Amino acid sequence: MTDTTANRAATALRYRNLAIDAFNAAQAQYEVAVLDHVTARIVEAYPEATHITFDHSPHDRTIELHGLWTTHRGGTEELVLDVRRDADTTALDLEELADDLSDALAGLHSATWSAVRPAPGPDRRRTLDLPPADRITGIAELTRTHHPHAQMITVEFTGDTCRVLDAVCADIPMSEGGAIRLIRATDECPLWPESTERRITALARQIHALPHLRARHLARFGAPDEHTAFLLLPQTGTNINADSK
């Protein structure tokens, strides 16, 4: 192979890889946008809804909806719409919702799968957590449940996975010349329970998939490597209450 041929092959491969990356990014953006569209329609009809239960066919990758649920403050769950029982009385187009979710979850590596967890019980159903209207505030509230003075977290995106590496906390109010403390996640001492990690990283993956949210909330300047980013946490009632104690 001549140098010219080798250079053409290398250039073609580079552009091919760039095209694949662009396609995957666009696909992830579409999947999360569909999730947001579905969520908006559900919450408009049932403002209290927090999650969906469904079956997912591994053969044709279609969705069969089972119910809409709400989670009360104490953690108890309540069924607000039984699809089989209430299909004729709800204003929602349940078939259209199922089709949209089927599209959003069609890919094995769909970003929307970050919102899915196994449903409790022996029937092997799945649960999809509806994202909050403001994902970054949701992350901040989850983080400050365990680290009330957290100001920032470092997240790592590797392939289809995401994890939180550390949290930066201002243990003394900054107005008083506060002290900054870095809390690293380790296997022996995680930052929070596994369920909290799952919920935070799911929202972080969804933010990463949407360009307007990624540009607003994820900062790579000074991050440890190209796969990590800083996620700045906004002020919320959680840390305002903590500072007042």
Side-chain angles (χ1 to χ4, degrees):
M1 181 181 293
T2 65
D3 289 345
T4 300
T5 303
N7 289 338
R8 288 181 62 185
T11 300
L13 178 61
R14 180 166 63 87
Y15 282 120
R16 177 180 181 274
N17 290 336
L18 288 173
I20 290 173
D21 290 343
F23 174 82
N24 289 338
Q27 183 69 21
Q29 180 182 349
Y30 167 75
E31 292 159 353
V32 178
V34 172
L35 172 63
D36 281 353
H37 179 60
V38 167
T39 298
R41 287 155 59 196
I42 290 174
V43 172
E44 182 180 17
Y46 299 92
E48 70 276 29
T50 56
H51 55 285
I52 306 169
T53 51
F54 66 94
D55 277 336
H56 180 260
S57 170
H59 303 294
D60 56 11
R61 298 180 184 175
T62 56
I63 295 297
E64 180 185 355
L65 296 176
H66 285 280
L68 304 183
W69 297 75
T70 186
T71 303
H72 297 294
R73 185 174 296 274
T76 58
E77 297 183 348
E78 178 185 353
L79 183 64
V80 296
L81 173 69
D82 185 315
V83 170
R84 295 178 180 176
R85 182 192 65 200
D86 305 326
D88 295 332
T89 60
T90 180
L92 288 173
D93 186 331
L94 298 174
E95 289 188 4
E96 186 175 292
L97 285 179
D99 288 343
D100 284 344
L101 284 176
S102 296
D103 286 344
L105 295 170
L108 294 176
H109 304 289
S110 168
T112 307
W113 279 108
S114 66
V116 177
R117 55 187 167 88
D123 52 18
R124 301 180 66 84
R125 289 181 183 172
R126 299 174 187 267
T127 296
L128 184 145
D129 294 313
L130 301 177
D134 188 344
R135 287 180 172 89
I136 190 64
T137 296
I139 290 176
E141 290 174 346
L142 287 166
T143 298
R144 290 183 179 133
T145 298
H146 302 276
H147 303 286
H149 299 284
Q151 304 297 313
M152 179 177 72
I153 60 176
T154 306
V155 290
E156 179 184 61
F157 300 96
T158 306
D160 301 317
T161 63
C162 173
R163 64 178 180 139
V164 181
L165 300 179
D166 55 53
V168 175
C169 301
D171 287 343
I172 302 172
M174 297 303 293
S175 60
E176 301 177 14
I180 299 298
R181 184 163 61 102
L182 177 68
I183 306 175
R184 294 190 183 278
T186 65
D187 292 339
E188 296 76 20
C189 187
L191 292 169
W192 33 60
E194 184 178 348
S195 59
T196 301
E197 175 77 3
R198 180 192 58 76
R199 294 171 67 189
I200 289 176
T201 56
L203 295 175
R205 276 194 67 192
Q206 294 163 31
I207 287 174
H208 187 261
L210 296 172
H212 66 291
L213 294 184
R214 183 170 66 243
R216 187 184 309 165
H217 300 306
L218 291 173
R220 293 192 181 277
F221 180 77
D225 59 54
E226 63 178 345
H227 300 295
T228 61
F230 299 125
L231 201 159
L232 302 177
L233 305 178
Q235 298 296 311
T236 65
T238 305
N239 67 315
I240 292 173
N241 291 339
D243 289 341
S244 66
K245 291 180 180 179

